[in-house]
Amino acid sequence: PLSYFFPELEISLLTQFARAQRPDGYIPHDLGRSRLDLPSNGTTYHHWKDLNPKFVLMAYRDLLWSGDRVFLKTIYPSVKKAMGWSFLNDHDGNGLPDHEGADQTFDLWSFYGAHPYTGGIFLAALLAAKKMAEQCGDRVFARRCRLAFDKGRMSFEKEFWNGEYFGSAASCAFAQLNGQWYADLLGLGSIAD
């Protein structure tokens, strides 16, 4: 609703998150310091693996809905850097970011290795980042995102599809659909067969 009814406010918010991006590319959880409910430096206890892909998806959503090319030019360097951080968190080389405990939106639920929730969001974010790279004329990064998507998609299906749903050994979350839901919302296509 914020993006739809108040696009300028949403673009301002995402631009502020881009300004708060860490030198390594991590997008912080929040913009506050010394919050009353959780004193932090913008990060909860862990660097959440789903925040950067969500930032990329929100940036692409706001670009689509606003058509604001100035916003694209402003946000694209942060999008590219955010995806770079996610690439670095693929510790086993399967093309999907790896968790190291309670480092995602379900912050009291520990995941280890790749997980369908973050994996699906990451795959959708790769498609969105590719579209933004193409619009910015960055063919090299667009190709990197496409190759990363192909590799990650293969791992996503091989590691998580059990014939009925995408799940890990430890769990099956309805959130397995979030990546595809966002891909549908943004007209990005399928993240898995």
Side-chain angles (χ1 to χ4, degrees), residues 6-192:
F6 304 101
E8 298 86 9
L9 185 59
E10 178 65 18
I11 285 173
S12 171
L13 176 67
L14 278 180
T15 303
Q16 289 177 57
F17 271 100
R19 281 191 218 120
Q21 188 174 36
R22 309 278 166 77
D24 66 358
Y26 179 70
I27 297 290
H29 175 269
D30 57 71
L31 298 174
R33 285 191 177 273
S34 303
R35 293 173 21 206
L36 293 176
D37 62 328
L38 179 63
S40 76
N41 65 352
T43 303
T44 53
Y45 307 102
H46 304 283
H47 287 100
W48 288 10
K49 302 304 188 302
D50 57 340
L51 292 182
N52 281 30
K54 287 178 185 176
F55 170 79
V56 171
L57 289 166
M58 289 189 292
Y60 188 60
R61 174 202 62 198
D62 291 347
L63 172 64
L64 283 179
W65 292 359
S66 72
D68 188 338
R69 303 287 300 168
V70 173
F71 171 67
L72 173 61
K73 189 174 183 177
T74 302
I75 206 77
Y76 178 69
S78 293
V79 163
K80 189 173 177 179
K81 203 170 169 183
M83 291 307 295
W85 186 87
S86 290
F87 292 147
L88 291 175
N89 282 280
D90 173 15
H91 304 298
D92 59 7
N94 69 350
L96 300 169
D98 292 308
H99 291 283
E100 303 163 88
D103 58 357
Q104 32 58 42
T105 294
F106 304 106
D107 54 324
L108 297 177
W109 191 2
S110 292
F111 300 157
Y112 295 92
H115 191 274
Y117 162 68
T118 304
I121 291 170
F122 176 70
L123 291 173
L126 283 168
L127 294 174
K130 176 185 169 286
K131 295 273 190 188
M132 287 185 275
E134 290 168 348
Q135 290 184 37
C136 289
D138 188 347
R139 291 190 310 246
V140 172
F141 192 67
R143 178 170 164 70
R144 182 177 184 196
C145 289
R146 183 65 212 191
L147 292 172
F149 174 80
D150 292 343
K151 181 178 185 177
R153 180 182 187 167
M154 214 163 40
S155 295
F156 187 75
E157 291 180 7
K158 181 180 175 189
E159 293 180 29
F160 300 125
W161 182 249
N162 68 9
E164 294 182 43
Y165 58 84
F166 291 97
S168 68
S171 65
C172 172
F174 189 65
Q176 67 180 295
L177 302 173
N178 285 11
Q180 186 58 59
W181 173 78
Y182 233 122
D184 288 345
L185 178 71
L186 302 177
L188 296 169
S190 295
I191 63 167

